[in-house]
């Protein structure tokens, strides 16, 4: 039984397989490879993209998707997370996709070894399927090779599980990662170049990944005024100029704070392509964990 808690659990051959399967699924819809499978999604935090993407990915492969809604469950009667999980697993699903505010939850559930667990976002620790779809989007854009390319990750890096998983995967795949953030948003690490000025890095990067300020993870407000933040860190057309830079964002985008309206409509911006690719990458992940492992 194989789980996906973060991408470092996958050997390079499996990452390559996911990329190849996702590419082939995007070119031609596959047969219903998972038509006898049942997958439960268990989201304890809000989601627009990841949850629907997993649902569509599972359905495109013929799996039955069971959407567990904690707000309408016995969680409200005091049932523990472990009891909820073991109760659902007693119904013998073929996998559980989980999102939770605690960093350790996916690993804790995976360690029970009752069903494959797929991490759909845990605290600020990991969001592996986002990292894989971002990697796929960059491979597609750069013709299949990203080794040596430089990506600037901008914004609330310290609170971001997208940044955490992305940094681990992108550096492993040979990319250079630089962090751009005000000191409130910068993680305490010395292994990556850090900048406070976005304008300073734009001439040296191939990719810009903007991040949302994760207000729900801030115990106290980091900024009183996000307009002041936007003046320094919003990705605008004026700031980007004509530079040939791939612009990504995991969503949801805070318009005109993370990225300007104008740049969201610019062909360099691949936010919706990332969403589209997410379905194909999650199909490939489901195939790997439910059929191939
Ligand atoms: N990128 C991402 O995780 O978005 P959602 O929170 O909408 O799933």
């Amino acid at each position: 039984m194989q789980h996906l808690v973060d991408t470092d659990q996958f050997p390079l051959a499996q990452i390559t397989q996911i990329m190849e399967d996702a590419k082939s699924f995007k070119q031609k819809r596959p047969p219903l490879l998972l038509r006898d499978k049942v997958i439960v999604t268990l989201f304890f935090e809000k989601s627009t993209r990841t949850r629907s993407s997993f649902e569509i990915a599972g359905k495109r492969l013929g799996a039955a998707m069971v959407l567990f809604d904690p707000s309408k469950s016995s969680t409200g009667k005091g049932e523990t997370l472990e009891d909820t999980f073991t109760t659902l697993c007693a119904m013998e699903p073929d996998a559980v996709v989980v999102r939770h505010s605690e960093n350790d939850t996916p690993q804790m559930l995976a360690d029970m070894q009752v069903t494959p667990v797929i991490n759909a976002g845990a605290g600020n620790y990991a969001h592996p399927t986002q990292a894989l779809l971002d990697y796929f989007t960059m491979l597609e854009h750069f013709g299949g090779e990203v080794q040596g390319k430089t990506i600037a990750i901008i914004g609330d890096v310290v609170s971001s599980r997208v940044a955490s998983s992305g940094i681990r995967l992108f550096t492993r795949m040979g990319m250079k990662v630089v962090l751009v953030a005000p000191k409130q948003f910068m993680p305490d690490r010395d292994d990556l170049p850090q900048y406070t000025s976005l304008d300073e890095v734009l001439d040296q990067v191939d990719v810009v990944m903007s991040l949302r300020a994760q207000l729900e993870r801030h115990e106290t407000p980091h900024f009183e005024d996000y307009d002041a933040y936007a003046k320094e860190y919003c990705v605008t057309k004026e700031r980007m100029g004509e530079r040939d830079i791939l612009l990504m964002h995991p969503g949801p985008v805070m318009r005109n704070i993370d990225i300007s309206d104008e740049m969201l409509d610019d062909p360099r911006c691949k936010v919706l392509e990332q969403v589209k690719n997410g379905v194909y990458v999650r199909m490939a992940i489901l195939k790997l964990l439910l059929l191939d492992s």
Side-chain angles (χ1 to χ4, degrees):
M1 181 182 305
Q2 191 175 7
H3 309 280
L4 174 54
V5 175
D6 199 17
T7 59
D8 44 17
Q9 295 169 315
F10 284 161
L12 287 178
Q14 285 189 325
I15 291 175
T16 303
Q17 186 187 333
I18 290 167
M19 296 299 118
E20 284 175 359
D21 282 345
K23 186 176 172 187
S24 106
F25 294 164
K26 192 171 180 181
Q27 283 162 352
K28 186 172 182 296
R29 290 266 168 81
L32 303 180
L33 302 168
L34 302 182
R35 66 181 163 278
D36 56 344
K37 306 291 186 190
V38 177
I39 299 167
V40 176
T41 62
L42 181 55
F43 276 55
F44 289 92
E45 282 192 334
K46 294 182 173 64
S47 169
T48 298
R49 279 146 285 272
T50 313
R51 181 168 155 167
S52 1
S53 182
F54 266 112
E55 285 173 36
I56 291 170
K59 286 184 175 177
R60 289 238 188 274
L61 290 172
M65 302 301 293
V66 176
L67 316 177
F68 178 85
D69 179 355
S71 71
K72 296 197 177 78
S73 76
S74 292
T75 304
K77 301 176 199 166
E79 186 172 66
T80 66
L81 168 65
E82 291 89 334
D83 285 343
T84 300
F85 179 72
T86 50
T87 299
L88 291 170
C89 288
M91 301 178 207
E92 301 184 319
D94 296 285
V96 172
V97 179
V98 65
R99 170 171 287 193
H100 201 274
S101 58
E102 294 293 327
N103 289 0
D104 298 336
T105 294
Q107 187 64 60
M108 187 262 289
L109 301 181
D111 286 344
M112 293 183 185
Q113 293 294 355
V114 283
T115 196
V117 170
I118 302 173
N119 178 6
N124 69 353
Y125 158 61
H127 194 344
T129 64
Q130 181 72 44
L132 287 163
L133 78 87
D134 291 339
Y135 177 53
F136 180 86
T137 303
M138 290 189 284
L139 282 179
E140 191 175 51
H141 180 79
F142 291 113
E145 184 55 84
V146 295
Q147 186 146 16
K149 300 283 184 200
T150 302
I151 179 170
I153 302 182
I154 300 168
D156 190 2
V157 182
V158 72
S159 311
S160 173
R161 55 194 173 212
V162 173
S164 303
S165 274
I167 290 167
R168 285 191 285 273
L169 179 64
F170 307 154
T171 52
R172 183 176 171 206
M173 305 318 285
M175 294 187 75
K176 280 175 58 186
V177 179
V178 303
L179 306 180
V180 183
K183 64 177 186 329
Q184 298 95 316
F185 287 168
M186 192 64 88
D188 183 17
R189 57 190 301 166
D190 55 14
D191 56 335
L192 299 172
Q194 299 188 350
Y195 297 86
T196 51
S197 162
L198 173 55
D199 296 317
E200 206 181 318
V201 302
L202 285 177
D203 279 330
Q204 28 165 325
V205 302
D206 305 288
V207 185
V208 159
M209 178 189 282
S210 170
L211 299 172
R212 176 180 67 92
Q214 311 267 304
L215 303 182
E216 69 277 22
R217 297 189 208 291
H218 300 167
E219 282 175 13
T220 53
H222 285 16
F223 286 93
E224 289 197 3
D225 174 8
Y226 272 88
D227 287 341
Y229 168 83
K231 273 200 181 69
E232 301 298 323
Y233 298 101
C234 184
V235 182
T236 61
K237 191 129 188 179
E238 189 183 25
R239 190 158 257 144
M240 287 278 274
E242 297 305 315
R243 292 179 182 88
D244 183 17
I245 294 176
L246 171 65
L247 173 59
M248 304 201 300
H249 191 300
V253 178
M254 289 164 77
R255 282 177 173 267
N256 301 308
I257 294 177
D258 305 336
I259 301 177
S260 69
D261 287 339
E262 194 181 16
M263 270 315 293
L264 282 167
D265 291 335
D266 189 284
R268 290 169 288 182
C269 179
K270 299 296 178 198
V271 171
L272 292 180
E273 198 63 26
Q274 289 171 265
V275 174
K276 181 189 280 192
N277 289 339
V279 173
Y280 298 112
V281 169
R282 292 184 174 106
M283 287 166 71
I285 292 166
L286 293 174
K287 171 181 173 282
L288 176 75
L289 295 182
L290 276 69
L291 278 191
D292 303 338
S293 293

